[in-house]
Amino acid sequence: MSPAQPVRRRSDAVANRAALLDAAELVLLRDGPAVPLDVVAREAGVGIATLYRNFADREELYAAVVHRSYELVAALAQEAEDSAAPPLAALAGFLRGLLAERHHLALPLLGAPGPLLLADEADPLGSRISRSLAAVLKRGVGDGSIRPDATTADLVVTGAMLAQAQLPSDAWGRAARRIAALVLDGLRARPDTVPLPDGLTGTELDRVMTRGTGEAAAY
């Protein structure tokens, strides 16, 4: 047996898993969670047996898709936290990133089914997103550029709404960028700022995002 063959098999397995996640993401957003799994396998270009070698059932497959989406959002939030840009500019980058990646966001707030995240997966990701966005807001409140009653829940809900296209793709891209600019302008601290009405608490938002799995993250 050639030494390269085991490496090739491992490489094929990784490629198959990635293809299945991509296909499940597409099918989940396009057709909903009840679509037969052989449709996912066909979309990925593999057999149904390959799907079941990688994922025990529908729940495990879709949990992996949702987990990958959370990882993407967490990475964008971390970029905003690490940015040397002014806080509002960092948040603008976060929202731009969500819009650019909206075709890869299969999340409960965007219609993905739940519960899909295990407690040991959901909490660290939710907490990471929360901590990063809270750090940017705190920086902005501290330097006087962001209104003090803005919350990370506001940002998460805004991002989810913008990422869920309501119009054909090109039109929604333009409309969503404008809405994002309006939201960012609304976050700006002003001497005559009117207090905001009550919104979702962090606990309420966490319950929606994880459908009751794990402890509530402090958004």
Side-chain angles (χ1 to χ4, degrees), residues 57-134:
D57 52 29
R58 180 190 307 274
E59 286 70 28
E60 185 176 311
L61 171 61
Y62 284 159
V65 172
V66 173
H67 184 71
R68 190 168 68 165
S69 295
Y70 271 81
E71 287 182 320
L72 192 157
V73 177
L76 291 172
Q78 185 67 56
E79 285 181 19
E81 181 182 2
D82 294 342
S83 173
L88 279 171
L91 293 178
F94 172 72
L95 294 179
R96 277 197 307 272
L98 290 179
L99 284 172
E101 299 290 350
R102 66 182 183 274
H103 301 300
H104 299 292
L105 296 179
L107 295 169
L109 281 182
L110 302 184
L116 284 181
L117 290 177
L118 302 174
D120 61 348
E121 294 178 336
D123 290 350
L125 287 171
S127 297
R128 277 172 53 194
I129 295 167
S130 174
R131 284 196 301 271
S132 292
L133 294 178

Side-chain angles (χ1 to χ4, degrees), residues 142-167:
D143 69 13
S145 63
I146 292 179
R147 57 185 304 153
D149 53 354
T151 69
T152 56
D154 297 329
L155 295 172
V156 172
V157 173
T158 296
M161 292 170 63
L162 294 177
Q164 189 171 28
Q166 304 294 326
L167 298 168

